[in-house]
Amino acid sequence: MLWRSKPLRIVAVFTVLALCGLVILALVRDQTGTQGFLVGLGLAVLPVPVLMTAFRWLDRVEPGPWRNMLFAFAWGACAAALVAILANSFATQWIATATADPGGADTLGATVIAPVVEESAKAAAVLLLFLFRRRDFDGIVDGVVVAGFTATGFAFTENILYLGNAFGEDQEMGSGFASVTAATFFVRAVMSPFAHPLFTVMTGIGFGIAASSARHQRFRRLALPLAGLLLAMGMHALWNGSSTFGPYGFYAVYGAFMVPAFGLVTWLAIWARRRELRTLGIELPVYAAAGWLSPAEPFALSSMRARGMARDLARQRAAAAAAGAPYGSPQGHTYHPAHAPHPAHARIAATPLKAVRAEGRAAARAVAEYESFATSLAFLRRQARRGTAGPDFAERERELLHHLWQRRETAGPALVHAAQATGRLRLRFVPAAHRPYAGQGIGPGPAQGYGTPPPPGHHASPYAGPRHDARPSANPPHNPPYANHPHTSPPYTPPQRANQPYPPPPYSP
């Protein structure tokens, strides 16, 4: 029964990973020596922030929880690296003993054994998150990011080993850093830091497509991850075997295969990221029509520039209001450049600067949370349309709408102004909302998919322009676009937050 405790599971998993990390570091230090280990560690850590930042940027539309990313990195650096070093060493020694050909055993181990073992070990992290963190894994971008973090961790540990051994060779030859260490660092950290991530991303793409496939497409959901894993093994084998193709084999494989493959995968990842933004513009207007969002918000939420601008506007406005500047009261909802605070009227001295900044950060955080919940809501509706949403769809939809309503008073005006400032409202129409989809229990009746008509006073067309009065009513819309769940019985207890910059929840238990 103790295993049902979530904190206990988290502690147990990371304890196992920490033990794997200690073992793998001890093995690497034994092979490289203390000096080589420290030099390898210092050089191997340099490309890690760059790779992690790149993958995190790709995941900005719907950022995955950091605990998932840390698990993936730790799995690659500790568990996968430990499995790889033990299995590769055992297999290579066994082949050398069986064939009495150590040179051939090394080549076979690098081109056949290592790709299969290493890619399988790294794919295990993607599989675990796919199975046990399914809510956070719903598309190609999630697969790419998880696979990238896992491979970045694996490459980090492997680079410590290679760079430490290179430093040892330089010490034996008395050349310092001038020869093998510099060449190894240039090849592994400058020319090809993306090598391991590129291989494992193939597996992540397979799992990502499987995650977005309907439940009845069982063959696709099983075959695509396996195909991605096989492709990753093949690319890894080609890369490792490039040195056997002659003196220029490495450069030929690098220029003719690795660079184009990297460019293609990068294009695919960016295309998938843009498609996620388009999903918001397609799925959210139905909530605007029902009164949960203002008509302008779907336009702003489908633009990263507008989302960033909304956070900045909320921060500036809250800070100005806390300082007593004529930016409008905290409950005001109309943004205009003429309302910007004038230095002569700002009473910064009357309010501690720390408190002013705290108010600004709280408002920006509320907008960021609003954007995150709106994104999750759009993706949830897309899953329902594709038939991949779980049986708790209505409950999850209601919970997300509750979170949006809590933060709407702060986030709504900022998003409306950002949509206007970025020119997102020049479009006068968007694609019609998708027809009702069966099997999800949506709507008040069998023939109605998104609820009854909008509440009285709401614009019939939500695309004619922004609604200037973005202040939410005292109660949420009476006709929500989700299944029959009374407003008076929320499916969860909202957390109590101190000093929150948004009004209390409109629902009562």
Side-chain angles (χ1 to χ4, degrees), residues 151-332:
T152 299
F154 184 90
F156 167 68
T157 302
E158 191 179 67
N159 284 343
I160 297 175
L161 177 62
Y162 279 90
L163 290 167
N165 286 333
F167 177 78
E169 294 182 24
D170 282 334
Q171 292 296 101
E172 292 178 0
M173 297 185 297
S175 56
F177 286 93
S179 180
V180 183
T181 306
T184 304
F185 179 81
F186 180 77
V187 171
R188 299 190 64 87
V190 178
M191 286 186 65
S192 58
F194 57 84
H196 271 289
L198 178 61
F199 307 146
T200 313
V201 158
M202 299 294 107
T203 305
I205 291 174
F207 276 101
I209 299 176
S212 60
S213 302
R215 294 182 181 272
H216 66 273
Q217 297 175 321
R218 294 183 179 180
F219 176 79
R220 183 178 181 181
R221 291 166 63 89
L222 293 174
L224 287 177
L226 181 59
L229 176 59
L230 294 176
L231 182 58
M233 292 176 181
M235 294 175 62
H236 198 156
L238 178 63
W239 175 251
N240 285 1
S242 61
S243 59
T244 65
F245 299 156
Y248 300 103
F250 169 81
Y251 301 102
V253 171
Y254 181 84
F257 179 76
M258 293 293 289
V259 172
F262 175 75
L264 180 62
V265 171
T266 301
W267 172 85
L268 177 63
I270 294 176
W271 171 83
R273 182 177 184 264
R274 291 179 177 176
R275 188 180 66 169
E276 288 186 341
L277 289 172
R278 290 196 297 269
T279 297
L280 274 72
I282 294 172
E283 303 293 350
L284 291 181
V286 65
Y287 296 101
W292 288 95
L293 308 175
S294 66
E297 287 179 45
F299 295 101
L301 290 167
S302 59
S303 166
M304 295 305 297
R305 179 188 172 200
R307 291 165 69 144
M309 181 180 293
R311 294 191 296 270
D312 293 339
L313 287 169
R315 181 187 299 108
Q316 295 168 7
R317 175 177 174 272
Y327 211 95
S329 67
Q331 304 298 324

Side-chain angles (χ1 to χ4, degrees), residues 53 60 69 79 91 94 117 133 137 155 171 180 190 228 287 307 312 314 333 366 438:
T53 301
R60 283 180 62 202
M69 303 300 106
W94 183 83
V117 171
R133 289 293 182 265
F137 202 125
Q171 292 296 101
V180 183
V190 178
Y287 296 101
R307 291 165 69 144
D312 293 339
H333 293 281

Side-chain angles (χ1 to χ4, degrees), residues 6 26 37 50-51 92 128 142 187 194 235-236 354 425 459:
K6 184 177 179 180
F37 172 79
V50 177
L51 294 172
T92 301
L128 289 173
D142 293 319
V187 171
F194 57 84
M235 294 175 62
H236 198 156
K354 184 177 181 180
L425 293 182
H459 297 289

